Amino acid sequence: MSASSTGASRGTEAARDVERLRRLLGGEHTAWLLDRVRRRIELGRPLTGTVTLGRASADQRRGVERLLGRRAGTGASLSVSLDEVDAVLRSSGAAPDGLAAAVRQLTGDVTERAELAAAQSRAWAQAHQPLDDLLARRPELTPWRSWLDSTGLLRRLAGTPDAAGPLAADLLRVLDALPSPGVALGRLAATSTGDAHALDDGRPLATLALAAARVLGGSHPAGDGSAAGRRAAWAAVGVHRDELSSTVLCLGLPGGADSPTGRILAICREAGEPCVLTLRQVGPGQDRGDLGVGLGVVYLCENPIVLASAADELAGRTPPLVCVNGQPSAAVISLLAALAGQGARFAYHGDFDWGGIRIANGLRERIGWRPWRFDARSYQAALTTVTGGELVGRPVDAAWDPDLRPALEHHAIRVDEELVLAELINDLGAPHAW
């Protein structure tokens, strides 16, 4: 017999075996048995023992009888020995390789759930690997990475490992650009991902990147859910919504006549009025001109009340004063960078609480400053004259004074800038020689 004839004969025989298998096990009345066996394979359980069908129909009972070649008993339930089924299939030639092979032949390949889970775990680990690599370069992001694991946020936002990979790659490009000396949110999105709206509120990438920005700014990755909180978190890493929404409040900056920004400052200084400048006016690349401070001192406060009180009480006698207004915006950082570039020095005061210290630490990393009544000695002195509130939150070291944290922890009292306004205004009325 030729090879081709032998092959054809074997093919015909195999087809007959498959047909016999379908008649024995592939009918609608044995479908329940097929489903039970397939589920056992998926769960990695052995195909031994018995399976039972409650309230079996007469047709289902006859289907099992045809399969086993014997009566299937009486009663409402129907029990079938998987060992017996396996033996019947092998001995009949319908499935020489046994019950498991028969199920795969009739229903398609079966992946064990443990194997599937292991494959999924490997795929997710691979999707997270770029973020793990990031920590080697940016250990300060460790709290954010741990939070991602605890919340499963990347999994929930991406849905599948295949979708998580590109999302993580975009995320890394965004985070590699942070903190920024000042960039619009849309521009950051466009240059990092090619999509100017990828960092819009509610987008998966924005949710992940914003959580990281909060950590870089010294906050919890979850944030408070408010629009103001999102703006502040982006601002803390030098990202602004646009050139007009990011502003800086200042008072007493001399300005000059050689640029529009300088002329605006000069007019406000002459009138003794506060001035609000946008990032468009003070950002990198803008024509800021000579801001008039030169090598002089610029006082920095955390809260607008200090600047407003100085305007009320000192009018045109106020030395240069800039309010960082909580987490410094891109406009604040840009103005201070411009002043520093022209030789200015800075004296800073903020709230004596953990949030105030975090703001001051972040600012100090960008702009060098000396404390202005903002050290452990000043805190102790303030407690002798004012009644502060309860100190709450997560403690943090003060980069400029190692004694400040222990003092705050010991007394557990916060002192807001509003409580020491008199001393601050006195200083501004008769500036120290720094």
Side-chain angles (χ1 to χ4, degrees):
M1 182 181 293
S2 67
S4 59
S5 298
T6 301
S9 176
R10 289 175 180 171
T12 301
E13 184 178 346
R16 288 172 182 164
D17 289 343
V18 171
E19 183 58 32
R20 188 183 312 124
L21 179 61
R22 287 199 180 100
R23 287 198 306 270
L24 288 173
L25 191 59
E28 62 176 307
H29 302 310
T30 54
W32 69 273
L33 179 58
L34 208 60
D35 289 342
R36 298 283 184 89
V37 175
R38 183 178 178 90
R39 187 154 52 247
R40 284 200 176 199
I41 296 174
E42 288 176 344
L43 295 174
R45 295 172 56 191
L47 302 186
T48 57
T50 61
V51 293
T52 301
L53 175 66
R55 296 186 179 183
S57 69
D59 288 336
Q60 288 171 326
R61 191 176 299 279
R62 281 192 293 272
V64 169
E65 290 174 347
R66 283 194 301 271
L67 171 63
L68 299 179
R70 64 170 178 79
R71 288 183 59 81
T74 60
S77 63
L78 174 60
S79 295
V80 178
S81 166
L82 296 182
D83 300 276
E84 186 178 357
V85 173
D86 183 77
V88 167
L89 293 175
R90 290 178 186 273
S91 63
S92 69
D97 294 325
L99 180 55
V103 171
R104 289 186 169 90
Q105 190 165 11
L106 291 173
T107 66
D109 196 25
V110 185
T111 302
E112 292 188 15
R113 293 187 183 181
E115 179 184 338
L116 180 61
Q120 285 283 308
S121 179
R122 290 192 297 271
W124 278 113
Q126 185 175 359
H128 280 88
Q129 188 59 50
L131 305 185
D132 296 331
D133 295 340
L134 175 66
L135 293 189
R137 297 184 283 111
R138 306 282 296 277
E140 66 272 21
L141 284 169
T142 298
W144 167 75
R145 181 67 181 85
S146 299
W147 181 76
L148 287 186
D149 283 342
S150 66
T151 60
L153 187 60
L154 180 60
R155 290 189 180 219
R156 288 191 284 114
L157 292 175
T160 66
D162 287 343
L167 181 58
D170 285 344
L171 180 59
L172 254 65
R173 286 191 289 271
V174 171
L175 297 185
D176 280 340
L178 300 180
S180 166
V183 63
L185 186 64
R187 180 172 295 181
L188 174 62
T191 56
S192 300
T193 72
D195 178 1
H197 297 285
L199 293 173
D200 288 356
D201 290 343
R203 295 284 292 271
L205 181 62
T207 302
L208 295 166
L210 187 57
R214 291 188 182 105
V215 169
L216 290 174
S219 302
H220 188 275
D224 61 9
S226 68
R230 291 192 293 273
R231 285 195 299 271
W234 282 125
V237 291
V239 180
H240 56 89
R241 298 282 181 151
D242 56 67
E243 292 184 324
L244 299 180
S245 63
S246 181
T247 61
V248 54
L249 178 63
C250 53
L251 175 69
L253 267 67
D258 60 347
S259 71
T261 299
R263 290 192 291 273
I264 290 171
L265 289 172
I267 291 172
C268 291
R269 168 66 180 268
E270 183 179 359
E273 288 295 324
C275 178
V276 177
L277 298 174
T278 67
L279 183 61
R280 182 181 179 87
Q281 294 166 306
V282 299
Q286 304 298 331
D287 182 12
R288 296 169 297 206
D290 184 357
L291 300 176
V293 175
L295 301 178
V297 173
V298 176
Y299 288 81
L300 308 177
C301 61
E302 182 180 338
N303 300 285
I305 186 63
V306 178
L307 192 143
S309 299
D312 289 340
E313 299 187 30
L314 301 176
R317 297 186 296 112
T318 308
L321 176 63
V322 175
C323 177
V324 303
N325 200 10
Q327 285 289 357
S329 67
V332 170
I333 297 299
S334 293
L335 176 60
L336 298 184
L339 290 167
Q342 296 178 12
R345 295 163 293 149
F346 302 100
Y348 181 80
H349 187 277
D351 291 332
F352 283 111
D353 60 18
W354 302 127
I357 292 180
R358 286 188 175 86
I359 291 170
N361 281 339
L363 182 63
R364 191 176 177 87
E365 291 176 359
R366 294 166 175 255
I367 302 292
W369 51 262
R370 294 180 60 182
W372 167 30
R373 293 185 182 268
F374 199 45
D375 51 22
R377 180 179 300 178
S378 299
Y379 173 65
Q380 301 276 11
L383 292 179
T384 64
T385 59
V386 304
T387 301
E390 180 185 3
L391 180 66
V392 297
R394 180 166 52 89
V396 61
D397 292 329
W400 64 97
D401 182 1
D403 295 328
L404 182 52
R405 173 176 175 169
L408 284 165
E409 290 181 313
H410 175 73
H411 294 284
I413 297 174
R414 75 173 192 274
V415 177
D416 299 329
E417 276 190 315
E418 291 86 342
L419 298 179
V420 293
L421 267 177
E423 290 85 353
L424 299 180
I425 299 303
N426 285 339
D427 289 345
L428 293 172
H432 293 292
W434 294 89

